[in-house]
Amino acid sequence: MTFISYSIVPSADAHMSEYVAASDQRRQFMTGFSGSSGEAIVTESSAYLVTDSRYFMQAQEQMDNNWRLVRAGQGYDHSDWVAFLMTICKGKRIGIDGRMLPYEKAVHITNLLNDQEAKMVYPIQNLVDLVWKDKPSRSKDPVFLQPREYTGEEASSKLAKVKAWVEAQRPDKPSYARAEPKPQHYQIGILITALDQIAYLLNLRGSDIPFNPLFHAYLFIGLNATYLFLEGSKVNDEVAPYLASLGVERRDYSDIWKFLRKREWGGEGKIIMSPSASYTIALVLSSYRTTIMKSPVLDMMAVKNDVELEGLRRAYLRDGVAFVQFLAWLEDKILNKGYDISEWEASQRLLEFRKKQHGFMGLAYATISGSGPNGALPHYSPRKSEARMIDKTTPYVNDSGGQYRDGTCDTTRTIHLGRPDAEMCEAYTRVLQGHIAIDTAVFPEGTSGKALDVLARNALWKEGMNYGHGSGHGFGSFLTVHEGAYSFSHDLPLKPNYTLTNEPGYYVAGKWGIRIESALVVRRVRTKHEFNGPIWLSFERLTSVPIQLKMVNRDMLTSTEKQWLINHNKECFRKLKPFLQNTDKRAFDWLKRETNREIGIAAPGPGGITIDWG
């Protein structure tokens, strides 16, 4: 038996997925906390959950008294769970399932532990699985084809690009070696472990992961052969010959370990693996047989082709139709008919509107539907039995999106169904100003998203206001809603055809929250002077949902910002009108009114009487 002092229970699965299947939700089983980010650390006498500011309030509400919340992130005592671990691990043996730990993080932790006279231990069995008696089984749903009409490129072409990339890599030999490289120094294949990359490369989709059209698999792409490790029960009569036509040999999912251990790809040479692949894979292959490199598939996925972009434009139009139908319905039910509508009921009604849209495949993530204090929780998702009623005194935040065959959607709008106070209007306006600043940014090639982040926050910072989450993230083409490292939080330069969100916010704990989010595409733009040539970039907006004008403090906006806001809503009307004019009178009337109203809320008249003319 392996002795350990502490046990780490991470959020990830064996593929480092953000969202994991029910059978991999070990941390949630242990803690009760359902957020997508956080690690549990169990010691001999205590139990900790380490998470970031997005989830502080949610974690406190969902965990019982056996668990202690450790706040991590910028501005807190610990940057992440590893930093916290270093404060309590002196001389300890720390156990973790190596399949759930990325290689790069395992190496980093091991180096840090050397100074603490501690070490990592990798038990053969997952300790949580030993006590999880009613653990759900893995999905047996079949995978399905994602046709070229949506992908814009055949899988055979993508696989060929990866093979060419592998072959082009330099031999991996010791820097001191003067002799010519030997066969064992050359790269002969790459192991893809990230589920979205496998789905993208093969033009296949599945339903193993909540909100993500992915399936559990490993993909080995060698110079002479390609193997897909996927359970046979998930391959139907359409997919089997398709894989054969690509020259892909299917083997069972669990065969990956035998394949790696016995080097069944044949021949001498090194296998490339991503630094985000599991540490267990690195242990099985050994350092002599691996080269750690970033997967080329990340860049392939990030730069959307013209077919994918056109699909996203269509998907965001249809998703915008559903969102407008929902907002019109919500206002009618609460203001005109006097109904009480809960946050959960609202999220379900929006889902019903989305289900009616062509190509709808499910939600892209759990709908965030929060009124009042729940709106101050950036990742709050209502449960039927505990949801608040949406009130008319505080803002209501809805952050949601659909998965469609032609695109992944992510939109947030904040509305007020009564008369917002001055504090709300100021916060909303400053968030809007940050949103506008990102939307209208023009910048040269080589500019990172992180360099633009200040634009989203500047209006808030001027008054000592801020938000604890990123200002936007990448997203996929009927893949994951959080894709790649390109965002407004990373140093990766933005490139044409990257897709990412624009989502500043502001939250008053225990009271209310505000967020405005739209999806963008990085595009080339012509400038007046073209300094250094045609290197300038800007954004095209995909989202077509009006921004409520009632909460805007008109006096805080510049003339340029006012014109942007007017133009934004009129553009939404122009795009959505054909879909609603003859099919949904309530939604069309709402759209017409909201996109033609004046900025701001009506001021009190004589005697304090207020009339909001819409």
Side-chain angles (χ1 to χ4, degrees):
M1 177 179 290
T2 302
F3 169 76
I4 62 173
S5 311
Y6 297 172
S7 179
I8 309 294
V9 185
S11 300
D13 60 10
H15 305 272
M16 309 308 144
S17 307
E18 178 185 13
Y19 292 96
V20 299
S23 57
D24 287 315
Q25 293 174 2
R26 297 176 178 86
R27 190 224 54 222
Q28 181 174 343
F29 166 73
M30 290 292 294
T31 67
F33 168 60
S34 62
S36 63
S37 177
E39 280 70 31
I41 301 176
V42 181
T43 74
E44 300 100 325
S45 58
S46 300
Y48 304 93
L49 175 80
V50 187
T51 190
D52 60 59
S53 61
R54 297 174 297 169
Y55 299 106
F56 290 165
M57 286 178 272
Q58 179 181 344
Q60 286 179 316
E61 290 176 359
Q62 292 183 329
M63 295 190 302
D64 62 28
N65 292 331
N66 291 304
W67 292 90
R68 296 170 60 183
L69 175 64
V70 177
R71 293 172 170 82
Q74 185 176 3
Y76 294 92
D77 291 341
H78 312 288
S79 57
D80 58 15
W81 69 271
V82 177
F84 170 70
L85 178 65
M86 292 306 123
T87 66
I88 61 171
C89 69
K90 187 75 172 180
K92 302 298 183 180
R93 292 169 58 87
I94 300 151
I96 189 172
D97 187 335
R99 296 172 303 161
M100 317 304 171
L101 184 66
Y103 169 85
E104 60 184 346
K105 182 150 284 188
V107 172
H108 173 62
I109 294 173
T110 299
N111 291 334
L112 293 176
L113 289 177
N114 289 335
D115 295 333
Q116 302 294 329
E117 300 176 357
K119 67 177 295 184
M120 294 294 288
V121 179
Y122 302 98
I124 296 175
Q125 290 181 293
N126 187 289
L127 301 185
V128 176
D129 290 350
L130 293 178
V131 299
W132 196 355
K133 300 305 181 183
D134 56 348
K135 180 182 175 183
S137 58
R138 283 192 181 274
S139 166
K140 294 182 173 59
D141 294 341
V143 299
F144 56 92
L145 302 182
Q146 178 73 344
R148 184 175 179 177
E149 66 179 285
Y150 299 122
T151 66
E153 185 177 5
E154 297 289 358
S156 57
S157 171
K158 297 178 182 179
L159 291 171
K161 288 179 180 178
V162 175
K163 290 181 180 181
W165 178 87
V166 171
E167 195 165 21
Q169 302 310 303
R170 298 176 61 184
D172 184 13
K173 66 173 185 174
S175 58
Y176 55 80
R178 299 192 178 189
E180 289 296 310
K182 296 180 180 180
Q184 63 263 33
H185 295 141
Y186 286 89
Q187 318 301 331
I188 61 170
I190 182 171
L191 180 64
I192 307 294
T193 62
L195 302 185
D196 56 344
Q197 295 181 36
I198 296 171
Y200 167 84
L201 283 174
L202 297 177
N203 288 348
L204 292 174
R205 300 294 189 268
S207 54
D208 291 0
I209 308 295
F211 310 115
N212 294 275
L214 308 177
F215 50 92
H216 290 115
Y218 294 94
L219 180 64
F220 179 87
I221 304 173
L223 297 180
N224 301 313
T226 302
Y227 299 91
L228 175 65
F229 296 87
L230 173 69
E231 291 302 334
S233 61
K234 302 179 74 63
V235 179
N236 59 26
D237 293 340
E238 182 182 23
V239 173
Y242 169 75
L243 291 174
S245 72
L246 295 173
V248 176
E249 179 181 334
R250 188 203 64 80
R251 298 181 58 166
D252 285 344
Y253 178 74
S254 59
D255 281 355
I256 183 64
W257 305 109
K258 174 174 174 281
F259 177 84
L260 297 177
R261 190 170 56 252
K262 296 189 174 183
R263 303 176 65 183
E264 293 183 1
W265 57 85
E268 291 188 275
K270 291 205 165 190
I271 305 304
I272 296 170
M273 60 174 272
S274 166
S276 62
S278 82
Y279 191 57
T280 296
I281 288 176
L283 291 176
V284 172
L285 281 172
S286 85
S287 60
Y288 298 105
R289 285 184 255 160
T290 56
T291 301
I292 308 300
M293 296 180 69
K294 173 187 169 185
S295 169
V297 187
L298 288 170
D299 290 334
M300 294 169 62
M301 293 167 57
V303 180
K304 308 297 187 290
N305 61 45
D306 290 343
V307 171
E308 289 174 316
L309 288 178
E310 191 54 38
L312 284 164
R313 292 184 186 102
R314 293 194 305 267
Y316 271 92
L317 269 179
R318 298 197 302 277
D319 204 64
V321 169
F323 214 122
V324 165
Q325 289 177 314
F326 160 71
L327 291 174
W329 170 85
L330 184 66
E331 183 178 294
D332 181 50
K333 291 295 181 182
I334 293 177
L335 298 186
N336 297 336
K337 296 185 170 64
Y339 291 171
D340 287 331
I341 304 294
S342 74
E343 300 160 324
W344 180 86
E345 184 182 355
S347 69
Q348 293 302 302
R349 186 60 179 174
L350 177 50
L351 173 60
E352 292 303 315
F353 284 121
R354 285 192 166 110
K355 284 181 177 180
K356 296 176 182 178
Q357 297 301 316
H358 174 70
F360 179 77
M361 301 296 290
L363 292 175
Y365 51 99
T367 295
I368 297 165
S369 172
S371 176
N374 291 336
L377 303 172
H379 287 254
Y380 167 81
S381 183
R383 290 188 288 261
K384 184 177 182 180
S385 59
E386 301 172 5
R388 293 181 84 250
M389 294 298 168
I390 297 173
D391 62 56
K392 293 185 284 187
T393 60
T394 60
Y396 167 67
V397 180
N398 188 289
D399 182 340
S400 60
Q403 287 278 18
Y404 301 88
R405 286 302 291 268
D406 46 5
T408 300
C409 297
D410 184 358
T411 300
T412 306
R413 290 295 182 263
T414 301
I415 65 170
H416 200 293
L417 293 166
R419 293 186 63 83
D421 63 30
E423 182 185 11
M424 297 172 188
C425 289
E426 179 189 1
Y428 186 90
T429 306
R430 292 192 180 280
V431 169
L432 173 62
Q433 287 174 311
H435 186 87
I436 294 172
I438 289 288
D439 187 272
T440 57
V442 177
F443 49 96
E445 288 179 350
T447 302
S448 69
K450 189 173 184 178
L452 299 178
D453 181 70
V454 64
L455 299 179
R457 300 177 188 271
N458 186 48
L460 290 162
W461 283 358
K462 287 179 178 179
E463 296 300 324
M465 303 161 76
N466 205 354
Y467 49 95
H469 56 75
S471 299
H473 54 81
F475 60 91
S477 176
F478 188 39
L479 282 169
T480 61
V481 75
H482 296 140
E483 179 181 271
Y486 55 101
S487 71
F488 293 111
S489 302
H490 292 85
D491 290 320
L492 188 70
L494 299 179
K495 297 179 182 179
N497 292 16
Y498 277 11
T499 52
L500 65 166
T501 62
N502 170 16
E503 51 178 308
Y506 182 70
Y507 311 92
V508 180
K511 293 183 178 180
W512 45 264
I514 289 165
R515 187 164 61 256
I516 303 172
E517 177 186 23
S518 295
L520 307 173
V521 183
V522 180
R523 305 296 281 173
R524 292 199 178 277
V525 64
R526 295 297 300 271
T527 58
K528 181 178 180 180
H529 296 289
E530 293 289 277
F531 181 81
N532 276 348
I535 64 168
W536 297 90
L537 305 174
S538 188
F539 296 113
E540 170 195 345
R541 187 173 56 257
L542 297 173
T543 305
S544 292
V545 179
I547 292 172
Q548 191 185 57
L549 303 181
K550 178 192 294 186
M551 294 183 69
V552 179
N553 183 333
R554 182 185 182 91
D555 294 336
M556 290 173 58
L557 297 182
T558 66
S559 58
T560 301
E561 290 168 337
K562 292 173 188 174
Q563 194 58 53
W564 180 95
L565 186 53
I566 292 169
N567 291 345
H568 173 280
N569 281 0
K570 288 190 178 302
E571 182 70 3
C572 290
F573 178 78
R574 183 187 68 81
K575 288 183 175 181
L576 299 178
K577 176 182 176 181
F579 298 91
L580 295 170
Q581 188 171 20
N582 298 315
T583 59
D584 189 331
K585 184 179 185 305
R586 176 176 60 194
F588 178 72
D589 289 345
W590 181 93
L591 176 67
K592 186 176 181 179
R593 186 190 75 234
E594 288 299 307
T595 56
N596 283 281
R597 61 174 293 159
E598 293 293 322
I599 297 174
I601 192 166
I609 298 174
T610 56
I611 302 175
D612 187 357
W613 298 103

